Amino acid sequence: MSSFVECSLCGFKYSVNTPLNVCDRCGGALLFRYDLNLIGNKVSKDILKERDDTFWKFIEFLPLKGEDSIVSLGEPYTPIIHLAKDFAFNFSNVFVKDDGRLPTATFKARGMSVAVSCLKELGVKRVVIPSAGNAAAALAAYGARGGMEVYTFMPKDVPLSTLRECAHMGANIFLVDGLISDAARLVSKFKDKYGWFDVSTNKQPYRFEGYKLMAFEIAEQFDWNPPDVIIFPTGGGEGVIGLWKGFSELVELGWIEENSIPRLVVVQSTGCAPIVKAFRNGESEVAEAWREADTIAAGLRVPKPYASYLILKAVKETNGYATAVSDEEILASMKALAKSGLFVCPEAAATYASLPHLKDEDVLDGDDKILLYLTGSGLKYLDLFKIDFKSYPVLRKDADSLP
Ligand SMILES: Cc1ncc(COP(=O)(O)O)c(C=O)c1O
Ligand SMILES: [Zn+2]
């Protein structure tokens, strides 16, 4: 039910009837705009409460003609779980939201299910993506479900589980001897020649629409009183931009108060922290690519996100913050969270690792309601959970005592 698409830099407006990438005039990222008053008159919080708990319940807020356009693999609301105070660095109100429960086990399912649905409606048949891994796996899954040809360009050291997913779900795979930025350059070079629609992070307006529904889902789960702070692991930045767009739309609808938009805190890895650097220097965009980007959190290894000005705007306008954590802290946090039953990926663990930093830097109040966004499952990075097989006794079938 969108009205138009608008350039986030120069404001130029585009019609919604053809597949769109970035602004032809200035290269700015494009965003869907809606007549929210009109939608708000048709859909109420009470109506939404009666619908199934999946983000598709907000379909009127998506650029789709109707339910028949949905390409779904069954996306549930993901749970919000409270962390005990002694496990949360003495903060009383820390919650996690576990998106590892979505199809393909990361939050990337949100953006890709909506993007594939929109693109299918527009007649797109062949899609391409440069990806650190999880976005490609999600596109492979939804592309397969939607009957599209999927082409993926990933760094050659992409986590093996994602590579397996892409391969078995029928994606065409190119491995790149470089980082996601190198993969992106190759996609730009070849996409027109091969007739592929580019679904790159921040280079099309569709994926943001899936991520914005994180804000809708969170707001409803918190009974329309969103948390004070959301801590989000950030690479390309689509998640944070989506959250900001979603909460802004909720304010425009009058469904939440303006001062209840959560402060958006970006977490990166010290091995690749271009947004943190720009934030600390008071810059409005990432001027140069992070050199020798290196981190175990593959999804955070984005040396120069496209349209970084939007990520920094989301942080600044929500009175948010940006901080970085080391790979050692990420690994320790993966272990700590696993000990409490949460088996999460390194990107997700970075949010937990950031808590002591944010405490030291006086960013959080003791009674703040804080949400750590767990963007994916540890099952996708099994290699990082080391075990020593030899340390486990192997019992004979008829063992009558334990060693
Ligand atoms: C599990 C996971 N978390 C977080 C991110 C970062 O998300 P974004 O690119 O929206 O900043 C990624 C990106 O690939 C990811 O795979
Ligand atoms: Zn523009």
Side-chain angles (χ1 to χ4, degrees):
M1 247 201 221
S2 61
S3 320
F4 57 89
V5 171
E6 187 180 47
C7 173
S8 59
L9 257 188
C10 74
F12 191 76
K13 294 184 177 53
Y14 291 84
S15 137
V16 297
N17 300 325
T18 49
L20 293 165
N21 283 112
V22 297
C23 179
D24 291 340
R25 306 188 154 206
C26 75
L30 301 180
L31 297 172
F32 279 96
R33 299 294 181 209
Y34 302 81
D35 185 341
L36 291 168
N37 279 335
L38 195 76
I39 304 174
N41 287 339
K42 291 190 185 148
V43 195
S44 66
K45 292 177 184 174
D46 285 338
I47 291 176
L48 290 168
K49 214 175 187 170
E50 299 305 314
R51 297 184 181 172
D52 289 346
D53 279 343
T54 161
F55 60 73
W56 296 111
K57 72 159 72 173
F58 303 108
I59 184 158
E60 286 88 350
F61 299 89
L62 290 175
L64 287 173
K65 292 204 176 96
E67 287 192 4
D68 289 348
S69 305
I70 292 177
V71 178
S72 167
L73 290 162
E75 297 73 22
Y77 260 27
T78 59
I80 289 181
I81 305 158
H82 180 252
L83 294 187
K85 191 173 174 184
D86 59 352
F87 187 66
F89 304 93
N90 251 353
F91 290 107
S92 322
N93 296 312
V94 176
F95 300 83
V96 298
K97 182 166 173 67
D98 185 6
D99 266 15
R101 322 284 182 99
L102 287 169
T104 71
T106 75
F107 85 116
K108 295 282 172 184
R110 297 177 181 272
M112 287 310 174
S113 53
V114 171
V116 167
S117 302
C118 294
L119 293 170
K120 191 171 182 201
E121 205 178 69
L122 293 168
V124 171
K125 302 225 159 27
R126 311 169 102 201
V127 285
V128 66
I129 190 160
S131 166
N134 290 325
L139 183 61
Y142 286 98
R145 179 79 174 158
M148 289 184 188
E149 273 176 38
V150 175
Y151 295 82
T152 63
F153 286 64
M154 296 181 282
K156 69 176 198 262
D157 57 353
V158 61
L160 273 182
S161 54
T162 5
L163 186 56
R164 286 194 178 101
E165 275 182 286
C166 290
H168 285 276
M169 288 189 292
N172 299 281
I173 296 168
F174 297 94
L175 294 178
V176 178
D177 188 7
L179 299 177
I180 187 173
S181 37
D182 303 299
R185 265 190 293 278
L186 290 176
V187 165
S188 299
K189 195 192 257 181
F190 294 118
K191 65 183 174 135
D192 290 339
K193 180 168 178 196
Y194 291 96
W196 299 330
F197 181 82
D198 182 3
V199 199
S200 286
T201 300
N202 302 350
K203 288 188 184 165
Q204 38 62 45
Y206 309 101
R207 286 167 62 187
F208 294 126
E209 294 306 293
Y211 298 126
K212 89 173 179 196
L213 297 184
M214 293 188 291
F216 284 59
E217 183 172 320
I218 291 167
E220 200 198 40
Q221 286 177 306
F222 279 94
D223 213 8
W224 306 101
N225 294 302
D228 300 299
V229 181
I230 298 179
I231 304 180
F232 206 93
T234 297
E238 235 169 16
V240 164
I241 296 168
L243 277 170
W244 176 51
K245 185 174 195 282
F247 283 115
S248 307
E249 288 183 8
L250 290 172
V251 169
E252 205 180 321
L253 275 162
W255 287 5
I256 63 168
E257 301 292 325
E258 179 149 22
N259 61 10
S260 70
I261 293 190
R263 301 168 59 202
L264 298 178
V265 174
V266 156
V267 185
Q268 299 201 290
S269 157
T270 48
C272 183
I275 298 292
V276 177
K277 186 175 165 206
F279 177 77
R280 287 198 181 136
N281 293 341
E283 287 158 5
S284 57
E285 65 178 340
V286 174
E288 60 177 48
W290 189 271
R291 291 210 194 113
E292 288 168 39
D294 184 25
T295 167
I296 54 166
L300 308 187
R301 203 172 52 158
V302 184
K304 190 169 189 269
Y306 194 78
S308 59
Y309 65 90
L310 270 186
I311 309 172
L312 286 150
K313 212 165 165 194
V315 172
K316 272 185 218 143
E317 289 204 356
T318 61
N319 198 21
Y321 196 72
T323 195
V325 295
S326 69
D327 277 5
E328 290 71 34
E329 291 169 309
I330 290 177
L331 278 171
S333 298
M334 286 170 80
K335 280 189 189 153
L337 287 165
K339 284 242 158 57
S340 75
L342 294 160
F343 198 70
V344 306
C345 65
E347 296 85 350
T351 62
Y352 182 75
S354 75
L355 280 175
H357 288 267
L358 297 170
K359 192 172 201 179
D360 288 350
E361 292 160 38
D362 273 338
V363 179
L364 303 174
D365 276 344
D367 55 358
D368 272 343
K369 199 158 66 175
I370 301 162
L371 183 66
L372 308 184
Y373 212 105
L374 304 183
T375 45
S377 167
L379 291 171
K380 303 203 72 171
Y381 295 77
L382 284 179
D383 291 350
L384 293 178
F385 293 91
K386 303 270 182 255
I387 48 169
D388 176 10
F389 267 109
K390 289 194 208 84
S391 69
Y392 307 115
V394 179
L395 303 178
R396 282 203 333 263
K397 272 189 275 189
D398 59 352
D400 46 22
S401 67
L402 296 181

